[in-house]
Amino acid sequence: MHQFLQENSYPKELRESIISLPREEGWIAPYMYNYKGIWIPPHHLYGALRCQQHFQAQDSDIILCTLPKCGTTWLKALVFALTTRKQYSHETQSPLLTTNPHGLIPLMENIYSRENSPNFPLNNGVRLLSTHLPHALLQKSVVESKCKLIYLCRNQKDTLVSLWHYANKSRGEVLGLGAIPFPEAFNKYRRGASVYGPFWDHMLGYWKESLENPSKVLFLKYEEIKEEPEVQLRRIAAFLGCPFSEEEDEGGVAGGIVRLCSFESLSNLEVNKTGKGPVIPIGNNTYFRKGEVGDWRNHLTDEMATRLDQIVEEKFKGTGLKL
Ligand code: A3P
């Protein structure tokens, strides 16, 4: 089992940090801890703490911010393909064909759980990074620099279902633990005790920031990308200051990126069918389940769906955010 998933092998620094924190049974680790209001697995907390200490944002950084299971893998693929499109001008050259998107855009909490001074790869002179941390816990230099943040959120009911499947697979493959019964997962989720939850605080934090500072934070929705992928890709390109040129439009470059990053295309690549993640050895195929909108209907009772809708209605009231 991975070192950070075994409590007795935690580094002293982590043991000291978590000793007084509230904890409960985890989704993707035996326990998760409540750190400054968010529920976080210990290996990510360790990475987040070290990231706080050592990471220095640069103005040119692009940081993708998501809750787990909101479409992080897809966003990583789209942003990678978009920002490196001149480097890999022919689709057959794309590193996405041989590397899982998580291997191209690292999750900072994961990387810092392994090293203090990681050498992040440069793509076209830019560091492409990702985090699951809420806006309130972002490192000071991230907030104060001119680096760009792209947030992706997803309907809360589909996110719960996706998280439940992922957690169960991860528990079986990596932890050797049994599945979480769905009603239990539902209860944890609606209490806010999901991975990096409560989900409403996470979404609202970035939503408010995107309204106050639209040139710093772009707020995207999974469902909107599903509906009009090219339109959303162009939004990302405009936000990052790299819109498609006329020549690129004539060559159908945006459409090519959308196709390359589609669920069908990525999930059928050998690397995503048989490869494994670099930090936690879970199969890359775990990141590609159905990729649909509305799968919650196959899992939630009407009562469960209503309860989650009520939470969103209450928490988002007056904010303008709808899921
Ligand atoms: P489902 O479990 O509903 O299928 P994350 O990348 O944040 O871990 O989120 C995973 C979810 O995004 C999974 O949802 C997965 O199938 C979906 N997904 C992964 N790649 C995708 C893609 N290229 N297009 C659409 N959805 C994708």
Side-chain angles (χ1 to χ4, degrees), residues 88-95 97-98 260:
Y88 309 111
S89 53
H90 199 273
E91 271 172 40
T92 55
Q93 300 168 327
S94 175
L97 298 175
T98 47
L260 171 67

Side-chain angles (χ1 to χ4, degrees), residues 195-208:
V195 190
Y196 288 85
F199 70 85
W200 52 88
D201 285 344
H202 203 280
M203 293 175 183
L204 282 174
Y206 282 97
W207 172 247
K208 287 182 182 152

Side-chain angles (χ1 to χ4, degrees), residues 129-269:
L129 306 165
S130 86
T131 184
H132 290 316
L133 286 173
H135 190 270
L137 290 189
L138 288 180
Q139 228 236 2
K140 204 163 162 243
S141 73
V142 172
V143 178
E144 289 177 355
S145 73
K146 292 201 179 81
C147 74
K148 299 266 190 184
L149 307 181
I150 303 180
Y151 187 75
L152 175 62
C153 83
R154 187 180 189 186
N155 175 276
Q156 79 283 14
K157 302 188 286 294
D158 279 338
T159 307
L160 161 62
V161 169
S162 185
L163 176 62
W164 179 67
H165 280 286
Y166 176 84
N168 286 345
K169 198 138 185 246
S170 163
R171 291 164 75 82
E173 268 184 39
V174 185
L175 300 175
L177 294 175
I180 308 174
F182 189 74
E184 211 176 287
F186 168 81
N187 275 322
K188 282 167 100 64
Y189 191 76
R190 75 163 176 81
R191 286 192 290 109
S194 53
V195 190
Y196 288 85
F199 70 85
W200 52 88
D201 285 344
H202 203 280
M203 293 175 183
L204 282 174
Y206 282 97
W207 172 247
K208 287 182 182 152
E209 207 48 41
S210 74
L211 296 179
E212 279 166 29
N213 210 345
S215 60
K216 170 90 182 176
V217 183
L218 177 69
F219 196 95
L220 301 169
K221 294 180 182 170
Y222 181 93
E223 296 73 19
E224 289 180 351
I225 310 184
K226 269 302 253 196
E227 206 168 307
E228 293 187 307
E230 208 178 303
V231 171
Q232 298 302 320
L233 180 68
R234 287 178 188 280
R235 266 185 83 199
I236 303 175
F239 173 74
L240 294 178
C242 58
F244 292 94
S245 66
E246 258 175 48
E247 198 185 338
E248 285 180 311
D249 279 345
E250 278 160 22
V253 175
I257 290 177
V258 164
R259 271 194 307 281
L260 171 67
C261 299
S262 70
F263 183 87
E264 291 65 33
S265 149
L266 292 182
S267 61
N268 281 309
L269 294 170

